[in-house]
Amino acid sequence: MPKDMGIGASSKRREDVRFLTGKGRYTDDINVAGQAHVVFCRSDVAHGRIEGIDTSAAEGMPGVIRVFTGADFEGVGSIPCGWQVTDKHGEPMQEPAHPVLAQGKVRHVGDPYAAVVAETKAQARDAAEAVEASITELPAVINMKDALAEGATKVHDDLRDNLCYDWGFVEENKDAVAKAFDEAAHVTSLELVNNRLVANPMEPRVAVGDYASHDDSSTLYTTSQNPHVIRLLMGAFVLGIPEHKLRVVAPDVGGGFGTKIFHYAEEAFCTFAAKQLEMPVKWTSTRGEAFMSDAHGRDHVTKIELALDAENNFTALRTETYANMGAYLSTFAPSVPTWLHGTLMAGNYKTPLVYVNVKAVFTNTVPVDAYRGAGRPEATFQLERVVDKAARELGVDPVALRRQNFVTEFPYQTPVAVEYDTGDYNGTMDVLEKMIDRDGFAARRKESEARGKLRGLGINSYIEACGIAPSNLVGQLGARAGLYESATVRVNATGGLVVMTGSHSHGQGHETSFAQVVADMIGIPEDQVEIVHGDTARVPMGMGTYGSRSLAVGGSAMVRATEKIIAKAKKIAAHLMEADEGDVELKDGKFSVAGTDKDVAWGDVTLAAYVPHNYPLEDIEPGLEETAFYDPNNFTYPAGAYACEVEVDPETGKVDVVAFAAADDFGNVVNPMIVEGQVHGGLAQGIGQALLENCAYDEDGQLLSASYMDYAMPRAFDFPMFQVDSQSSQTPCTHNPLGVKGCGEAGAIGSPPSVVNAVVDALQSGGFTDVYHIDMPLTPDRVWGAMNGSATGQGAAQPAANADDTTQARSVGDGTTATH
């Protein structure tokens, strides 16, 4: 195969042709004949008792077909949670009902309590304004610490309190960790906030429900990252539709970032209403709706402590985190601050003792769930900030302190359950230091100072766990689904292939990289391989795309299915060449017999598979199609080292990122260009979190950042040209057939602490030596406040929800996030 094709080649993304020419087919492009439109009536208060809903005026308006309320969903199932967490006492988490339309109470601004179905979207919108809801406003709980206070208003009246769970990990380590802190030569502590975010994919959510009365079957077209999971959750647990009577289709999807993993009430509503009305029902979210109905991300408040001995070796780590669940449990929400976060708290380091405590809290806010990285960014941010602070307190080089404590021997069993199979953390740090010309930083700092700017350099390391498997392990940890992946490879008679995968592509370039893998194995052009995904009627049961698992898990399933194809094709080729099967080789699309000049082309063998004239059918059945399910033995563990250089204007507090470098170890790389693009996207989102983005509520639960007028999204001019290297330090994964690890979330994991480390470095170099931390986002207001002894330039810093007021070390934040 030519060097510019197959595994390792930067093949251009084939799917971009249709996207760039306006030929993509997104859910909103799907219009079913005779469809109606739905508009939801959403609560404008954070917490309230529904006294009554008068729909009579709306029902009499032009074009209105029906108005639904929560009463229409009596007997219909609750939106399910897909992961159950057991607390440190061995008790299951508190798990409240989540109705499709609010029943009895509304619990956050944006909670839908009615839905108007009409012939046109405009008619539905007009009628929705005529729905009269009598709602008695109740006190809202927004701050997590307040939500857990004795006597606090309960988000759910049928629960004991607002605590979803109190999780300890590893609980058996707790006393040993405490002893290590008592004996430590130095202890560094830090209190910080991981700010709440809105995912904001380019394409808003859309759902189209359709019903066929002739066979009592339903179809849902939706903007989903995992259509089979939606079919399972909605069909089995909400609407009671047998899986063979429910088809879920996720066509082209314009970005997800985690927020399109989950099953949403709007999907269930459109499917339910379509059957009730026997007509298609369509909903397209507005951007304003997205801010108050799409699952939010992050929103953790943490106190982290690091113990070191006299030689600066890490001896123990402990954290206490408050994690906001919002008003309801979203699909995977309980797993994010626990198993996807606590198991990564060892980081790249050989710290022998770790204890993680997480209190998950219900508040009157939009539900919170996985957002790009999902628990891994939260863990990395805490850890890399406290390590940097420790280096400053000890007066040692932050890179040297990290290197001293890196894990260097593999496999490595961490004290938080997971085992790293391979890695080279010193190697990636070596690559990074060369990329950034660290020796030249002093000169760059002087040049910035000459222009009146403070320059800082922030460096950190990260590790993440990808794949979220094996199924038997995650099942023991509370997952309510298997987390394998599937692939069916169908070879046509003329040699082309159709690969049907349970993984879903929503911007990752799967149609290109998956084709590279299969084409490389056989030795045929990539354009002979078609990738099909996103339709439960066409592809085998699969778990979808999240957790950087598509290539490591989905790609491995393709490899296994293709291996079966090749094995059968070799049998046919052996008959055609009158050779022993064990002597048949496949290379560059041609079968040959070792040591002879006999050969037969791939296309001739595939034709023979469907026209079986030359081999005995009792030995080989006709056709060439195979399916494989792949369930990994372990997570994969991408890792890397990132560096950020910033300039800070001391007059205004404005931060400019002037350079950013990322050295990543993703194992083997199938398409370097696609990987670089994935890292660029992650860096943009991570830097956006660090400097700009913040989802803020006031004390009454009103969303203050409910549009792009108030929620600051990063733009191209906010970034420098990124330096990215994923080729120079590779340690292939040892337990999947491709040796890949995953790359989609790395940039969002490693970048936030790099930015904050850099800003703190800049301020300390400028004489602000008592500033050790500033909470994200590092807006000019917050940075200026840090330099001038206040949170916002107007008052003292606000302690975090779980903060001990006596241990604040000029950690600057403001009060506006409110959920903490």
Side-chain angles (χ1 to χ4, degrees):
M1 177 170 284
K3 292 183 179 179
D4 60 349
M5 295 176 62
I7 294 175
S10 290
S11 299
K12 292 183 178 179
R13 289 172 32 130
R14 60 167 73 174
E15 48 269 75
D16 287 353
V17 174
R18 70 174 184 274
F19 295 150
L20 295 174
T21 57
K23 296 177 182 177
R25 187 170 184 260
Y26 298 90
T27 307
D28 195 52
D29 295 322
I30 296 172
N31 292 292
V32 184
Q35 74 184 13
H37 297 265
V38 60
V39 168
F40 291 94
C41 303
R42 298 182 183 276
S43 175
D44 59 3
V45 299
H47 196 198
R49 182 179 299 107
I50 301 172
E51 307 294 353
I53 301 174
D54 184 355
T55 63
S56 57
E59 288 168 341
M61 294 181 69
V64 173
I65 299 166
R66 183 170 168 182
V67 181
F68 291 83
T69 67
D72 295 299
F73 287 84
E74 295 290 345
V76 174
S78 170
I79 304 296
C81 179
W83 202 298
Q84 182 185 71
V85 166
T86 300
D87 71 13
K88 64 183 183 181
H89 305 295
E91 296 297 320
M93 67 189 186
Q94 294 202 90
E95 188 171 357
H98 183 181
V100 175
L101 294 178
Q103 298 170 349
K105 290 207 308 185
V106 289
R107 294 179 173 87
H108 66 86
V109 170
D111 202 0
Y113 58 81
V116 178
V117 180
E119 294 172 2
T120 70
K121 188 186 298 185
Q123 290 170 333
R125 187 182 301 115
D126 289 343
E129 293 179 0
V131 174
E132 293 288 341
S134 175
I135 298 176
T136 300
E137 189 169 1
L138 301 172
V141 286
I142 308 302
N143 179 291
M144 285 189 281
K145 187 175 182 180
D146 292 345
L148 296 183
E150 185 176 353
T153 299
K154 291 194 289 186
V155 177
H156 296 273
D157 296 336
D158 55 333
L159 301 187
R160 295 186 304 274
D161 49 32
N162 293 318
L163 181 67
C164 179
Y165 56 75
D166 186 354
W167 186 75
F169 186 72
V170 174
E171 195 65 25
E172 293 77 10
N173 288 351
K174 190 174 182 179
D175 291 342
V177 168
K179 185 173 184 290
F181 272 92
D182 290 341
E183 297 173 351
H186 181 85
V187 172
T188 294
S189 64
L190 182 62
E191 291 156 4
L192 45 80
V193 173
N194 207 295
N195 43 321
R196 180 182 280 235
L197 303 173
V198 180
N200 282 315
M202 287 191 293
E203 176 201 30
R205 289 191 297 115
V206 183
V208 183
D210 194 11
Y211 174 70
S213 59
H214 73 276
D215 64 355
D216 191 32
S217 66
S218 296
T219 299
L220 170 69
Y221 302 93
T222 184
T223 46
S224 175
Q225 298 176 214
N226 47 2
H228 275 105
V229 173
I230 302 305
R231 185 181 71 169
L232 176 64
L233 294 177
M234 185 180 73
F237 297 100
V238 185
L239 301 181
I241 303 174
E243 285 185 274
H244 67 283
K245 291 292 186 180
L246 176 60
R247 177 188 180 198
V248 177
V249 181
D252 288 330
V253 173
F257 314 125
T259 199
K260 291 177 182 173
I261 297 172
F262 323 121
H263 175 39
Y264 288 96
E266 295 87 355
E267 294 169 322
F269 177 86
C270 288
T271 308
F272 176 83
K275 183 173 182 178
Q276 292 288 305
L277 303 174
E278 294 197 15
M279 64 172 59
V281 176
K282 181 175 184 177
W283 170 73
T284 299
S285 172
T286 66
R287 187 59 67 178
E289 279 185 294
F291 273 91
M292 57 184 177
S293 65
D294 291 3
H296 293 171
R298 313 289 193 250
D299 205 351
H300 287 192
V301 178
T302 297
K303 179 177 181 180
I304 182 170
E305 298 172 286
L306 177 65
L308 301 91
D309 66 17
E311 286 73 44
N312 295 341
N313 297 306
F314 302 166
T315 59
L317 182 85
R318 65 184 172 195
T319 71
E320 181 187 12
T321 292
Y322 287 62
N324 205 330
M325 296 288 100
Y328 304 103
L329 289 178
S330 181
T331 306
F332 291 120
S335 68
V336 174
T338 52
W339 299 112
L340 300 183
H341 157 254
T343 54
L344 270 297
M345 283 312 305
N348 307 67
Y349 309 110
K350 53 191 177 186
T351 312
L353 293 166
V354 177
Y355 179 71
V356 179
N357 175 246
V358 178
K359 295 176 177 66
V361 185
F362 293 112
T363 62
N364 291 116
T365 63
V366 171
V368 179
D369 208 322
Y371 171 73
R372 199 169 191 166
R376 285 72 58 84
E378 294 90 323
T380 297
F381 185 68
Q382 300 167 36
L383 185 56
E384 291 303 309
R385 285 295 299 120
V386 80
V387 170
D388 222 60
K389 183 170 185 268
R392 294 191 180 281
E393 290 174 347
L394 294 167
V396 299
D397 177 67
V399 173
L401 182 62
R402 288 175 167 87
R403 287 185 182 272
Q404 177 180 337
N405 287 281
F406 276 160
V407 174
T408 56
E409 296 181 2
F410 297 88
Y412 175 74
Q413 178 61 56
T414 73
V416 280
V418 296
E419 181 180 271
Y420 304 157
D421 62 323
T422 185
D424 183 2
Y425 309 145
N426 278 302
T428 51
M429 186 63 79
D430 291 342
V431 171
L432 181 75
E433 292 204 71
K434 291 177 183 176
M435 292 170 70
I436 65 174
D437 179 24
R438 193 180 182 204
D439 291 341
F441 175 72
R444 297 194 294 276
R445 171 172 275 171
K446 286 186 178 180
E447 190 275 331
S448 295
E449 289 172 350
R451 292 184 286 105
K453 301 292 180 68
L454 306 177
R455 195 177 188 106
L457 172 63
I459 295 177
N460 72 275
S461 297
Y462 80 89
I463 188 169
E464 61 166 323
C466 296
I468 315 181
S471 295
N472 64 340
L473 172 61
V474 296
Q476 294 173 39
L477 304 182
R480 289 167 167 165
L483 292 174
Y484 53 83
E485 198 45 82
S486 64
T488 294
V489 177
R490 176 181 298 157
V491 184
N492 298 317
T494 53
L497 291 86
V498 179
V499 179
M500 291 158 279
T501 172
S503 296
H504 188 277
S505 182
H506 39 278
Q508 295 91 340
H510 289 176
E511 293 174 36
T512 301
S513 53
F514 286 168
Q516 286 179 256
V517 170
V518 176
D520 189 89
M521 292 179 68
I522 297 171
I524 58 176
E526 295 165 15
D527 61 10
Q528 289 192 34
V529 182
E530 178 187 1
I531 305 298
V532 175
H533 61 90
D535 186 343
T536 62
R538 298 186 64 189
V539 304
M541 176 75 175
M543 292 295 106
T545 295
Y546 42 85
S548 301
R549 72 193 303 269
S550 295
L551 194 58
V553 188
S556 293
M558 290 178 203
V559 169
R560 294 297 184 232
T562 304
E563 288 173 344
K564 293 180 181 180
I565 290 287
I566 291 171
K568 183 175 180 179
K570 281 184 176 182
K571 291 182 180 180
I572 298 172
H575 280 283
L576 295 179
M577 294 185 290
E578 298 181 341
D580 186 273
E581 179 187 333
D583 294 331
V584 176
E585 300 173 344
L586 173 62
K587 184 178 180 181
D588 295 335
K590 184 179 292 186
F591 294 92
S592 60
V593 180
T596 75
D597 59 357
K598 291 183 177 181
D599 61 56
V600 60
W602 167 258
D604 293 332
V605 173
T606 61
L607 181 62
Y610 291 94
V611 186
H613 293 167
N614 297 308
Y615 59 87
L617 292 179
E618 63 269 20
D619 293 339
I620 310 170
E621 64 182 25
L624 202 52
E625 179 174 327
E626 298 287 350
T627 295
F629 288 78
Y630 180 79
D631 203 340
N633 295 324
N634 192 1
F635 294 94
T636 63
Y637 299 97
Y642 285 11
C644 176
E645 285 191 32
V646 300
E647 283 188 338
V648 178
D649 186 337
E651 297 296 320
T652 66
K654 185 176 186 298
V655 176
D656 290 314
V657 178
V658 295
F660 202 103
D664 295 292
D665 175 7
F666 298 136
N668 293 332
V669 172
V670 169
N671 187 311
M673 179 185 67
I674 287 178
V675 167
E676 184 173 350
Q678 287 287 294
V679 175
H680 279 211
L683 293 177
Q685 287 183 289
I687 295 170
Q689 176 181 10
L691 295 180
L692 298 162
E693 298 183 52
N694 190 44
C695 183
Y697 284 88
D698 70 11
E699 62 184 8
D700 296 319
Q702 292 298 321
L703 186 57
L704 302 178
S705 51
S707 75
Y708 289 142
M709 295 294 290
D710 301 297
Y711 188 94
M713 291 288 286
R715 294 166 171 80
F717 58 72
D718 293 310
F719 309 116
M721 182 59 70
F722 299 133
Q723 290 180 272
V724 174
D725 188 332
S726 60
Q727 302 280 302
S728 298
S729 179
Q730 294 180 336
T731 58
C733 176
T734 60
H735 56 78
N736 68 55
L738 288 166
V740 297
K741 296 184 177 182
C743 68
E745 297 164 300
I749 294 169
S751 52
S754 303
V755 174
V756 179
N757 288 350
V759 172
V760 171
D761 182 59
L763 267 56
Q764 293 230 340
S765 74
F768 302 98
T769 55
D770 61 341
V771 177
Y772 282 95
H773 181 69
I774 306 173
D775 276 330
M776 300 185 292
L778 276 67
T779 59
D781 184 45
R782 289 188 178 184
V783 176
W784 188 92
M787 292 185 288
N788 288 274
S790 70
T792 64
Q794 299 175 352
Q798 299 291 317
N802 56 336
D804 178 348
D805 293 347
T806 64
T807 61
Q808 290 288 325
R810 282 296 304 281
S811 294
V812 178
D814 66 26
T816 60
T817 300
T819 54
H820 62 271

